[in-house]
Amino acid sequence: MGVTSSQLCSLLTKFTALNGLNTYYFDPKTNAFRGSWKLKIYCVIHHALCVLALAHMSYSNPSNMRVSVTVLTIGGTIACCVKSCWEKAQGIRKLARGLVKMEQKYFAGRPSGLLLKLRYYMKITFGSISLLRIHLIQPIYMRRLLPSQFYLNVGAYWLLYNMLLAAVLGFYFLLWEMCRIQKLINDQMTLILARSGQRNRLAKMQHCLRLYSKLLLLCDQFNGQLGHVAIWVLACKSLFQITYGYEIYQMVAAPKSIDLSTSMRVFVIFSYILDAMNLFVGTDISELFSTFRADSRRILRETSRFDRLLSMFALKLALHPQRVVLLNVFTFDRKLTLTLLAKSTLYTICWLQSDYNKLKA
């Protein structure tokens, strides 16, 4: 089981292409990424529709601050996705191709371990629930906020949110695959160092270090290519936490001031919890990445053989970030999750204070 197994990799790239993130897909028959002029035309149309959807939601509700901020954050995410889709360097395609090549050539069929499997299935489950929530229940919730031109607003929101969700899934599974490869290399190095009587032990260790060097280059590409998208996605997640949190506090402090049925109140609470758990799962895989990187340093420290070879690689490893770093500024970890949740709660309380007189009346 692995995210770069042929069928799943093909499904994921087709899902992201369907939502306008890339003009290529993975072909399991040829084990290669294939571009298509039809996909390019489709992405041009999709991006044009996204711009029209953002413009419609912005200009049809100019006095609604909540809608305006939502358009701003989702619009920033869409702009970064469009830029990465059409850039000449095709950095994300090269990153995905490098991970797929390493997986299929060196690690195909090897078990990922319980921790990675658990996070893999958790993200698949939460992503599926989010997709069903947006398409089945969100339109009922939106009718209260955007009563005019309802169907057009729902279609625009579906179009934009699907692109946001595809970007989140692409980010998560690329990071998951890097964690998987890092863990398998660690296991292989531990096995080599634990058996003193192996033939060609030095050659095997050199092979592991060459693989790790390739992975470090891919990690640098990941931090550079997906930083802007990740920052805007985090802004969207924070906004969702603030808006849903505001309505939850309103239900508790002034229940008569909010016009929501019991089922919609349950939906708001469920959405708040689901978005928080999605954010936690995303940063949790980053924490696992840091744990595997720390394991690599420990393996290199604990061995007393191949001192010169391992010392040189340990120095190289020390020069790379030990965590997932976005834009060389933000560390994507559990601390960031807690900070975002705390700041979102603070802004929600400030929003409630500014609306106190209106809610009291």
Side-chain angles (χ1 to χ4, degrees):
M1 191 277 297
V3 71
T4 51
S5 64
S6 299
Q7 296 79 9
L8 188 55
C9 185
S10 176
L11 181 63
L12 182 61
T13 53
K14 287 176 181 177
F15 178 72
T16 54
L18 182 65
N19 288 286
L21 293 181
N22 44 265
T23 57
Y24 55 87
Y25 65 95
F26 182 77
D27 186 358
K29 296 180 180 179
T30 60
N31 272 345
F33 286 88
R34 300 173 61 88
S36 169
W37 64 268
K38 293 180 181 179
L39 266 180
K40 290 182 179 180
I41 294 175
Y42 172 81
C43 284
V44 169
I45 297 173
H46 188 279
H47 296 161
L49 289 176
C50 285
V51 172
L52 291 176
L54 288 168
H56 168 73
M57 292 184 71
S58 178
Y59 287 107
S60 63
N61 303 278
S63 60
N64 192 326
M65 183 60 65
R66 178 174 175 176
V67 175
S68 300
V69 178
T70 301
V71 168
L72 175 64
T73 53
I74 295 183
T77 308
I78 302 303
C80 292
C81 291
V82 171
K83 176 181 178 296
S84 64
C85 177
W86 294 108
E87 66 179 1
K88 290 184 178 180
Q90 291 288 292
I92 297 179
R93 181 175 182 173
K94 292 178 181 177
L95 170 62
R97 185 193 296 124
L99 290 172
V100 168
K101 186 177 179 180
M102 287 188 71
E103 169 73 25
Q104 295 185 342
K105 190 174 182 180
Y106 303 108
F107 305 108
R110 296 178 59 180
S112 302
L114 180 61
L115 291 177
L116 282 171
K117 280 186 178 181
L118 179 63
R119 284 157 178 80
Y120 173 86
Y121 289 118
M122 284 175 63
K123 191 60 182 178
I124 289 290
T125 302
F126 288 143
S128 301
I129 293 173
S130 297
L131 200 60
L132 292 173
R133 173 183 62 121
I134 291 302
H135 286 271
L136 298 180
I137 308 176
Q138 187 75 19
I140 304 173
Y141 174 77
M142 287 180 63
R143 186 180 290 274
R144 180 178 62 93
L145 298 174
L146 304 171
S148 62
Q149 299 180 326
F150 171 71
Y151 293 105
L152 191 58
N153 285 321
V154 168
Y157 190 80
W158 279 348
L159 184 71
L160 298 172
Y161 192 89
N162 283 347
M163 196 170 185
L164 175 66
L165 181 60
V168 171
L169 290 177
F171 177 91
Y172 183 89
F173 284 121
L174 287 173
L175 181 55
W176 186 93
E177 183 61 28
M178 290 194 300
C179 288
R180 168 179 157 81
I181 292 176
Q182 191 168 232
K183 176 189 179 298
L184 295 177
I185 294 176
N186 285 348
D187 294 343
Q188 196 168 338
M189 287 196 299
T190 302
L191 187 62
I192 292 171
L193 296 172
R195 297 180 180 178
S196 57
Q198 292 187 75
R199 292 182 179 181
N200 302 324
R201 192 177 176 203
L202 178 60
K204 292 180 180 179
M205 179 56 72
Q206 288 176 333
H207 174 68
C208 285
L209 297 185
R210 280 195 294 269
L211 290 180
Y212 213 126
S213 297
K214 292 180 181 179
L215 179 62
L216 289 176
L217 292 176
L218 293 174
C219 291
D220 290 341
Q221 290 181 33
F222 179 87
N223 292 341
Q225 290 293 327
L226 296 169
H228 293 87
V229 175
I231 292 298
W232 280 106
V233 167
L234 290 174
C236 292
K237 292 291 185 182
S238 298
L239 176 64
F240 296 154
Q241 288 292 295
I242 292 172
T243 53
Y244 288 132
Y246 177 88
E247 292 188 335
I248 291 173
Y249 280 115
Q250 195 176 350
M251 292 176 203
V252 175
K256 294 182 179 180
S257 65
I258 183 169
D259 183 21
L260 279 178
S261 64
T262 303
S263 58
M264 284 295 100
R265 295 185 185 213
V266 172
F267 169 75
V268 169
I269 297 172
F270 172 76
S271 297
Y272 181 86
I273 296 172
L274 181 64
D275 285 335
M277 292 182 70
N278 267 318
L279 185 59
F280 177 81
V281 170
T283 51
D284 190 53
I285 192 67
S286 180
E287 287 286 339
L288 203 58
F289 176 90
S290 304
T291 301
F292 291 146
R293 185 62 62 84
D295 289 342
S296 302
R297 296 198 306 271
R298 176 183 54 78
I299 292 169
L300 297 176
R301 282 198 309 266
E302 290 181 355
T303 182
S304 59
R305 299 177 181 275
F306 311 123
D307 290 338
R308 185 177 178 182
L309 175 66
L310 294 181
S311 296
M312 292 175 61
F313 184 78
L315 177 60
K316 182 177 182 179
L317 186 61
L319 296 176
H320 285 76
Q322 306 306 310
R323 295 176 175 271
V324 178
V325 181
L326 306 176
L327 305 180
N328 294 322
V329 177
F330 302 100
T331 302
F332 189 68
D333 56 9
R334 196 172 295 135
K335 183 179 178 181
L336 179 62
T337 301
L338 298 176
T339 302
L340 286 176
L341 292 176
K343 293 293 184 182
S344 300
T345 304
L346 176 61
Y347 293 146
T348 302
I349 294 173
C350 293
W351 189 6
L352 283 166
Q353 287 178 336
S354 66
D355 288 353
Y356 174 76
N357 290 330
K358 182 176 69 174
L359 296 176
K360 186 178 179 181

